[in-house]
Amino acid sequence: MGTHWDRLDEELRPSVEASTDQFGRIRPELEAVTRDMQTTIRDIFQETELKPLFVTARTKTVASFREKASRTLPPAVAGDTPTLEYPDPLRDMHDMVGVRVIVSLPHEIREAAGLIKRQRSEFDIRADREKDIGSIESGTYGYSSRHLLIRTIQNPAVKRFQEALGEPARPNGSHVFEVQIRTILAHAWSEIEHDIRFKASNPRAWSPYFDRQFTATAAMLEAVESTFSELHERYETVTGYWDEEGEGAAPLTPRRIREVWQTLLPHVDRKSDDDWGWAAELLAAHGLKTTTNLVDLLQAEVITKVREALEHRYSPGPDRLLDDVLLWRFGKRHIELTAGDDNHRRESLQRRHRQMETFRTAS
């Protein structure tokens, strides 16, 4: 099989060798560009809510440069010498400098890309693509990564690199580099996959089992990221419930009660219908009218104590559990406000109240 360099036509080798030698000579200046780009990208997030886990950068190695510079295109006429994919690799390659922005969750990829693209005084965005879009459309798996091709604008470090590069380049401070944005899970997957798949010392040792397992782990990674995203969205929703000037001020209509309940206690949602009217009546009886009032009532430690106090032989549904929690908080007042002329309900509430008081005394 061999590498692109190993298979390169003898007529093309001198050109690639000359470019590689020149790259090795000016690489220190390119490393300075890399450091500058890393710092610039990192600083973008200093005053924002989005904080990447880390921002890394790398300068293409000499060996990697030679390998990519050795790629060829098939000849137009069969039997002719192939042509180089990068005739002037020092100017045609856009990944000699690469920056990676690693975030926690998939939605942060979009946010990070948006922040970078707004730095119009520093950068000109030449391309923006999702690396996994092809695998999504084909029904296969791979790591998700947002790739931006960015051109610097009058950058001093780039000018010094261009001066070292010499003619015919003009030191105008304009250089295209790549920024990859991905999640920490996708980053870990791609690093391991790259080490095994692309850095294998003997490509003949490759087994179809590796492909199968990489596909399987990519699928699991997608499922885990989806779960993390759902947890994050639920967390944002729940914290919003406590904002008394925002979501927390929303009135407790039957629909709102159902929404809050299913968010906080999805494991206790076995109503046979969608009528949450009685729950709204119970809450209104105590003057509980806002979303924050409800989430303050449905605290996990309180629900646990109520379950222990009443020694539930079965897991109660939402109406019964809400009734018990209100009884736990308001005691006899809950009985007087909600029992009315229903003697059966009054007796049931009184019995449960005695159990709660016994439990409190024993505790």
Side-chain angles (χ1 to χ4, degrees):
M1 296 174 66
T3 65
H4 290 292
W5 170 252
D6 293 335
R7 299 191 303 271
L8 187 62
D9 190 279
E10 289 295 332
E11 293 184 21
L12 301 177
R13 282 178 176 263
S15 173
V16 172
E17 285 180 328
S19 296
T20 303
D21 290 342
Q22 188 178 12
F23 177 79
R25 178 176 60 80
I26 54 88
R27 191 172 182 275
E29 283 72 23
L30 195 59
E31 288 180 320
V33 174
T34 302
R35 290 191 295 270
D36 188 75
M37 293 304 99
Q38 181 181 14
T39 300
T40 301
I41 296 295
R42 183 188 290 132
D43 289 348
I44 290 172
F45 303 98
Q46 290 300 313
E47 304 300 325
T48 69
E49 292 185 2
L50 175 61
K51 303 298 180 187
L53 297 175
F54 50 90
V55 177
T56 65
R58 63 102 183 97
T59 306
K60 204 168 193 65
T61 65
V62 174
S64 179
F65 177 90
R66 187 183 71 171
E67 177 63 11
K68 189 165 186 177
S70 300
R71 293 181 183 178
T72 58
L73 300 173
V77 179
D80 286 357
T81 302
T83 58
L84 291 170
E85 185 175 343
Y86 300 98
D88 190 357
L90 286 163
R91 295 168 181 83
D92 296 338
M93 285 187 195
H94 295 155
D95 64 344
M96 292 189 294
V97 171
V99 178
R100 284 178 180 166
V101 179
I102 307 302
V103 297
S104 298
L105 296 168
H107 76 274
E108 294 176 334
I109 295 176
R110 181 180 63 256
E111 294 175 14
L115 287 168
I116 294 171
K117 292 171 73 172
R118 285 198 287 271
Q119 309 305 309
R120 296 182 179 87
S121 62
E122 297 278 351
F123 305 128
D124 173 34
I125 306 301
R126 307 301 296 272
D128 178 1
R129 63 189 179 93
E130 295 276 1
K131 186 164 184 180
D132 69 342
I133 196 69
S135 62
I136 291 174
E137 292 172 350
S138 65
T140 58
Y141 286 98
Y143 69 88
S144 175
S145 183
R146 185 86 168 259
H147 285 213
L148 305 179
L149 280 183
I150 299 177
R151 182 176 65 88
T152 61
I153 300 175
Q154 297 182 352
N155 182 276
V158 170
K159 288 182 179 180
R160 290 190 290 271
F161 161 69
Q162 291 170 331
E163 289 168 356
L165 186 58
E167 294 293 340
R170 292 184 297 106
N172 59 6
S174 176
H175 178 77
V176 177
F177 70 103
E178 184 179 65
V179 175
Q180 297 179 6
I181 313 169
R182 62 177 68 145
T183 65
I184 185 65
L185 291 179
H187 178 65
W189 186 93
S190 64
E191 288 295 295
I192 295 171
E193 192 252 7
H194 186 264
D195 283 345
I196 296 177
R197 189 192 297 268
F198 295 107
K199 292 184 180 179
S201 58
N202 184 359
R204 292 173 298 179
W206 190 259
S207 165
Y209 175 82
F210 296 150
D211 287 321
R212 179 180 176 84
Q213 291 305 103
F214 275 124
T215 299
T217 54
M220 287 187 286
L221 180 147
E222 184 176 288
V224 171
E225 284 197 333
S226 177
T227 299
F228 281 154
S229 294
E230 190 276 331
L231 287 171
H232 173 76
E233 291 173 6
R234 188 177 292 267
Y235 172 78
E236 291 292 304
T237 299
V238 172
T239 54
Y241 290 158
W242 290 95
D243 180 4
E244 296 182 359
E245 296 182 358
E247 284 294 311
L252 291 177
T253 63
R255 171 179 283 187
R256 182 62 166 182
I257 295 170
R258 179 184 64 186
E259 174 191 321
V260 172
W261 189 283
Q262 291 174 343
T263 300
L264 296 177
L265 303 168
H267 58 291
V268 189
D269 179 23
R270 297 192 309 282
K271 287 176 68 65
S272 59
D273 55 51
D274 289 330
D275 182 11
W276 290 75
W278 190 60
E281 292 176 11
L282 290 178
L283 293 165
H286 293 282
L288 303 178
K289 300 178 180 179
T290 69
T291 296
T292 298
N293 293 153
L294 179 57
V295 295
D296 180 58
L297 181 71
L298 299 179
Q299 293 301 295
E301 63 272 15
V302 171
I303 292 175
T304 298
K305 289 178 181 178
V306 168
R307 289 183 184 279
E308 292 176 354
L310 298 181
E311 298 178 336
H312 288 143
R313 289 175 294 177
Y314 58 90
S315 182
D319 286 339
R320 171 58 189 273
L321 185 56
L322 178 62
D323 196 26
D324 288 341
V325 170
L326 288 167
L327 182 60
W328 175 271
R329 172 172 285 193
F330 297 106
K332 291 181 179 179
R333 179 169 175 77
H334 180 63
I335 300 174
E336 296 305 317
L337 288 174
T338 65
D341 297 330
D342 188 339
N343 291 329
H344 177 73
R345 171 169 169 74
R346 182 178 296 273
E347 290 174 2
S348 175
L349 287 170
Q350 288 173 338
R351 173 179 54 78
R352 284 181 273 156
H353 183 249
R354 288 193 296 271
Q355 286 181 263
M356 290 178 181
E357 290 303 293
T358 299
F359 176 81
R360 280 190 166 112
T361 301
S363 302

